[in-house]
Amino acid sequence: MKPEILQARLESPPAEAAGWSPAEFEAKLRERGRAYHIHHPYNVMLNGGRATREQVRGWVANRYYYQIAIPIKDAAVLSNCPDPVVRRGWVQRILDHDGFELNGIRDAGGVEAWLRLAESVGLTREEVVDLRHVAPGVRFAVDAYVNFARRAPWQEAVCSSLTELFAPEIHKQRLANWPEHYRWIDPDGLKYFQSRVSLARRDVEFGLAFTLAHFTTRAAQERALEILKFKLDVLWQMSDAMALRYGVPL
């Protein structure tokens, strides 16, 4: 090879791979649903009606730590985002969880709905709120997610929300199966799942549209897939920690 040709190759960066089309990219994002925690043995046990009262209560108490972390995560996204249009849309997520009272309209929010779920399965508010039941692995996984949202570019934090692509199905399963298998649970406690079926769809419309529009090069799209995998790993690790503490029947 002639020296001048070698020098030209050293000076010219390799051509970047073309990005997938929006349809191809969305399909690859949705393929990640195979690793969603709906398939974890602990969730399969819960939704299949094979969980004991202790296992159901353990799941509710541990997932509360995730519920209270979500508005903190969303506030971190807002704090890093300079775009007022995005902020106006994203702030609704905080109100959905923390609740609000405005112009005579009051919504207690998702965290309060989760506490009602806790009471319906036989837990007290005190023992849920003080986090005494939260397994170290659950705490570690949730904290890792919040720290990611604080430190990552806000666009990547938005992308990490795309596990909502798969959330409506898991909520539908709970609504369909829990009343049949766990008749000892007060049905009013399941209202959280009812609300999240529609809210998750609404939220994912924005997150998916933004991700498809922002992550357009192959490198950026592969990064988005890595971020989604990280969030899926967070949810899977939470289930792992609960399975370790409460067991999963074979």
Side-chain angles (χ1 to χ4, degrees), residues 4-249:
E4 59 270 21
I5 296 177
L6 176 60
Q7 183 63 30
R9 289 192 176 183
L10 291 173
E11 293 175 354
S12 302
E16 186 172 5
W20 294 299
S21 70
E24 291 172 326
F25 183 30
E26 180 176 346
K28 290 184 179 297
L29 289 167
R30 291 186 181 276
E31 284 174 6
R32 289 294 193 268
R34 291 175 295 182
Y36 190 52
H37 68 128
I38 194 173
H39 305 297
H40 191 283
Y42 200 87
N43 274 280
V44 172
M45 173 191 70
L46 280 171
N47 292 337
R50 295 183 291 116
T52 65
R53 296 191 183 206
E54 180 189 19
Q55 288 166 330
V56 172
R57 289 168 181 156
W59 180 81
V60 171
N62 276 269
R63 287 281 298 190
Y64 176 76
Y65 191 65
Y66 179 74
Q67 299 302 320
I68 60 175
I70 292 302
I72 298 172
K73 177 269 298 182
D74 288 327
V77 176
L78 289 176
S79 71
N80 291 327
C81 178
D83 188 332
V85 175
V86 174
R87 293 200 303 267
R88 282 195 294 269
W90 204 263
V91 73
Q92 183 62 51
R93 296 170 180 248
I94 297 177
L95 300 178
D96 288 342
H97 276 79
D98 283 346
F100 65 89
E101 187 168 358
L102 182 65
N103 297 328
I105 300 174
R106 185 176 185 278
D107 187 327
V111 173
E112 172 62 25
W114 196 269
L115 287 171
R116 292 174 184 170
L117 170 63
E119 291 176 325
S120 75
V121 302
L123 294 163
T124 66
R125 286 184 175 237
E126 179 185 10
E127 67 182 307
V128 176
V129 172
D130 68 16
L131 308 178
R132 71 183 70 170
H133 299 300
V134 178
V138 169
R139 190 183 296 270
F140 182 86
V142 173
D143 289 352
Y145 181 41
V146 173
N147 287 333
F148 171 81
R150 285 174 173 152
R151 298 170 183 174
W154 67 268
Q155 298 92 335
E156 292 191 355
V158 167
C159 176
S160 72
S161 73
L162 285 184
T163 48
E164 292 165 340
L165 282 168
F166 322 116
E169 181 59 30
I170 202 169
H171 295 317
K172 287 180 183 177
Q173 284 190 10
R174 291 164 184 156
L175 289 169
N177 298 336
W178 282 36
E180 176 185 354
H181 296 305
Y182 308 116
R183 296 184 180 181
W184 52 273
I185 297 177
D186 184 347
D188 285 344
L190 304 180
K191 289 182 178 178
Y192 174 86
F193 304 134
Q194 294 170 345
S195 67
R196 288 308 303 172
V197 170
S198 58
L199 292 178
R201 286 200 186 101
R202 181 208 67 195
D203 290 346
V204 81
E205 287 179 6
F206 174 87
L208 179 59
F210 177 86
T211 298
L212 295 177
H214 179 77
F215 296 85
T216 55
T217 67
R218 178 68 64 85
Q221 291 168 340
E222 289 176 345
R223 173 60 178 161
L225 291 171
E226 291 174 355
I227 293 166
L228 183 53
K229 181 181 183 302
F230 159 72
K231 175 60 184 307
L232 289 165
D233 287 346
V234 166
L235 297 172
W236 197 272
Q237 168 58 31
M238 291 172 62
S239 294
D240 275 351
M242 286 183 270
L244 181 63
R245 170 166 288 189
Y246 301 105
V248 176

